[in-house]
């Protein structure tokens, strides 16, 4: 199965509005588009434009992504795509790293905005 061109991009943390990231990637988000979780968004940066949705099920031992769908193409069959099952400890480690990276990116972005509003610029070379 081939995706529709270059239609998918990642979920951009600065635009993340699904509640806590850990809840989202464990399938406990705010039900933005029903019971499934957006795992990829449109390459334009807006997840709702062209999302790839999945059911995320977590147990003490595993996290499983399955039942994929593209809500704007209800007739597309994703039955052969997945399921993807990951060791829960490895998944939690990767999720913690993602959350930390997102927090560091947020601090960096906030610093750049604060520096720019204070009139600070990069030093020019000698």
């Amino acid at each position: 199965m081939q995706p529709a061109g270059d239609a998918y991009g990642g979920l951009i943390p600065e635009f993340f509005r699904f509640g806590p990231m850990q809840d989202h990637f464990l399938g406990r988000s705010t039900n933005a588009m029903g019971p499934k979780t957006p795992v990829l968004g449109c390459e334009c940066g807006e997840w709702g434009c062209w999302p790839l949705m999945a059911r995320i099920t977590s147990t003490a031992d595993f996290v499983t992504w399955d039942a994929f769908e593209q809500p704007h193409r209800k007739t597309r069959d994703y039955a052969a795509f997945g399921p993807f099952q990951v060791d829960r400890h490895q998944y939690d480690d990767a999720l913690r790293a993602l959350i930390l990276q997102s927090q560091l990116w947020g601090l960096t972005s906030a610093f750049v905005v604060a520096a720019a509003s204070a009139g600070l610029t990069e030093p020019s070379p000698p």
Side-chain angles (χ1 to χ4, degrees), residues 6-124:
D6 294 324
Y8 291 116
L11 297 174
I12 301 171
E14 298 87 64
F15 302 154
F16 201 86
R17 302 288 181 260
F18 302 110
M21 199 177 293
Q22 180 166 350
D23 287 348
H24 178 79
F25 284 107
L26 288 172
R28 301 184 305 240
S29 68
T30 61
N31 291 325
M33 288 186 75
K36 294 189 178 176
T37 302
V39 293
L40 290 174
C42 180
E43 67 178 350
C44 76
E46 171 56 48
W47 75 266
C49 177
W50 198 255
L52 180 64
M53 309 291 286
R55 176 176 55 201
I56 300 176
T57 307
S58 58
T59 68
D61 298 319
F62 298 103
V63 176
T64 304
W65 289 17
D66 65 0
F68 291 89
E69 74 174 36
Q70 203 319 315
H72 302 304
R73 292 216 173 143
K74 293 286 188 184
T75 60
R76 184 165 282 177
D77 182 10
Y78 284 91
F81 188 64
F84 301 104
Q85 189 174 65
V86 180
D87 175 83
R88 176 64 187 261
H89 298 291
Q90 291 177 326
Y91 192 89
D92 287 344
D93 289 346
L95 189 51
R96 277 192 291 278
L98 177 65
I99 291 167
L100 179 60
Q101 181 182 12
S102 177
Q103 291 168 342
L104 292 174
W105 177 254
L107 290 173
T108 302
S109 297
F111 177 77
V112 169
V113 169
S117 65
L120 301 175
T121 60
E122 287 187 43
S124 51

